[in-house]
Amino acid sequence: MRFLVTGGAGFIGSHLVELLISEGHSVTVVDNLSTGRVEFLKGVMGNPRLRFIEADLLRPEVAREAARGVDAVFHLAANPEVRIGQQSPESIYRQNVEMTYNVLESMRVAGVRALAFASSSTVYGDAKVIPTPEDYGPLYPISVYGGSKLASEGLISGYAFTFDWTAVSFRLANVVGPRSTHGVIYDFINKLRRNSSSLEVLGDGTQSKSYVHVRDTVKAMYQLLMKAIDKGVRYEAFNVGTPDRVSVLEIAHIVAEAMGLTPQVYTTGGVDGGRGWKGDVKVMQLSVDKAMSWGWAPEVKSSRDVVRRAVAEALSEFKA
């Protein structure tokens, strides 16, 4: 097949592109490199089945050109930082909602009828049901970022039913692994590299969330989209994560141990009852029963093991 991957030079996108190429598909990548990096694609950059476009999908003509001649779209391009929402709602809206609209319109014009969307667990907000299933509701995101992902899901569902597409939204737990350039593991390693004697933890440290490895994530996105196309479904949402969670304080100790350090770990106390920042979901654990019933399962099955592997991979990258 011929795929378009928006944000394909990013953390998750670059792993997805590698998977698609390895499966024999042709891939067009569009990335403005605001957070993505060309070097993330170095393993496939010379492949004749890869086409790379450095451009901004906020320009409708870019989206239209990218969608021409493809069979399906993986839409990953977005502002990935949850915390920026309270600082710049306009940036979140434009890069997450307006860009999604441009991609959908380009698909409609080009006659592309299959889409996978990288959504987020943040659409659930402070869920009252843990583990949280896909049919939980009503959904009340507590960050502008989460709201933008839910708005995009709504647009995608509307287009899918109106124009007879197959569309799938993936509500991702915290994705970690090689090439990650933000998040708690990345932050802790950088803090300890600057000062090995102490480690600041945002919030009260009891925040507890699910983590999933990036390679398991892209396998879920690929396998479940292909199954949805085969089944001819209109729209589905899938949680992608591991069936447990790990606290921020536990992650701090895992990172310190992996670096051979014994820092004084202290918490800032946080905001709104111990959150790391405004809009930080304190407890997140997704039910992955639905994805598993469709045949996907994470290779790394616990959040602690995911974190341990990601820490080792990150430390290896820092040494390279």
Side-chain angles (χ1 to χ4, degrees):
M1 291 178 66
R2 298 161 298 174
F3 288 101
L4 166 63
V5 180
T6 72
F11 163 43
I12 301 174
S14 61
H15 287 278
L16 176 62
V17 171
E18 287 176 341
L19 175 62
L20 295 174
I21 293 287
S22 75
E23 292 287 336
H25 303 293
S26 297
V27 182
T28 295
V29 169
V30 180
D31 201 302
N32 66 2
L33 301 182
S34 58
T35 57
R37 299 177 185 175
V38 172
E39 57 263 35
F40 288 173
L41 292 171
K42 64 183 178 182
V44 293
M45 192 53 91
N47 194 296
R49 285 184 280 109
L50 177 69
R51 176 191 182 205
F52 179 76
I53 302 171
E54 182 183 347
D56 195 334
L57 287 161
L58 284 173
R59 295 165 53 198
E61 66 273 17
V62 169
R64 286 194 298 269
E65 168 60 25
R68 193 173 294 123
V70 305
D71 300 308
V73 175
F74 284 94
H75 179 37
L76 281 71
N79 187 320
E81 179 55 72
V82 178
R83 284 173 285 189
I84 203 173
Q86 71 181 102
Q87 304 161 20
S88 180
E90 181 183 1
S91 172
I92 290 288
Y93 168 76
R94 296 203 68 217
Q95 294 177 50
N96 292 7
V97 181
E98 186 177 328
M99 188 181 293
T100 296
Y101 168 75
N102 285 351
V103 169
L104 293 171
E105 270 297 281
S106 72
M107 290 176 60
R108 182 184 65 81
V109 171
V112 185
R113 298 178 61 183
L115 170 72
F117 173 59
S119 188
S120 165
S121 62
T122 58
V123 301
Y124 293 115
D126 287 326
K128 295 179 176 63
V129 176
I130 301 290
T132 311
E134 290 86 350
D135 60 0
Y136 171 82
L139 301 182
Y140 296 132
I142 63 169
S143 64
V144 177
Y145 174 86
S148 74
K149 288 294 188 180
L150 185 56
S152 293
E153 283 195 26
L155 273 175
I156 290 165
S157 177
Y159 268 75
F161 282 102
T162 301
F163 302 111
D164 297 328
W165 298 355
T166 291
V168 182
S169 290
F170 295 100
R171 295 170 178 171
L172 306 179
N174 289 350
V175 183
V176 293
R179 304 173 200 155
S180 177
T181 56
H182 73 290
V184 66
I185 292 172
Y186 184 84
D187 289 347
F188 283 167
I189 291 174
N190 276 312
K191 285 178 179 179
L192 286 171
R193 290 176 80 210
R194 290 192 298 266
N195 179 3
S196 61
S197 64
S198 67
L199 178 59
E200 176 192 68
V201 174
L202 299 180
D204 64 11
T206 66
Q207 306 99 302
S208 182
K209 305 180 187 184
S210 292
Y211 287 76
V212 62
H213 196 274
V214 64
R215 293 193 181 95
D216 283 331
T217 302
V218 299
K219 285 178 185 175
M221 296 179 75
Y222 172 60
Q223 292 170 6
L224 295 174
L225 174 65
M226 298 301 280
K227 287 199 173 185
I229 292 171
D230 287 343
K231 289 173 178 283
V233 303
R234 282 288 163 263
Y235 181 79
E236 290 283 354
F238 288 99
N239 292 333
V240 177
T242 49
D244 65 355
R245 60 186 190 269
V246 61
S247 75
V248 177
L249 278 176
E250 287 179 273
I251 295 173
H253 291 299
I254 290 171
V255 172
E257 182 180 9
M259 296 178 72
L261 302 173
T262 54
Q264 178 187 358
V265 178
Y266 67 95
T267 62
T268 64
V271 298
D272 292 348
R275 303 176 194 272
W277 55 86
K278 192 79 171 175
D280 179 28
V281 176
K282 276 204 81 174
V283 177
M284 178 271 287
Q285 182 180 333
L286 305 176
S287 168
V288 293
D289 291 348
K290 182 177 177 181
M292 293 179 74
S293 74
W294 278 51
W296 171 81
E299 179 184 317
V300 189
K301 301 187 184 303
S302 80
S303 288
R304 286 167 188 81
D305 287 342
V306 169
V307 169
R308 289 188 187 99
R309 179 178 291 194
V311 170
E313 290 164 339
L315 291 174
S316 216
E317 287 179 324
F318 276 114
K319 289 175 185 175

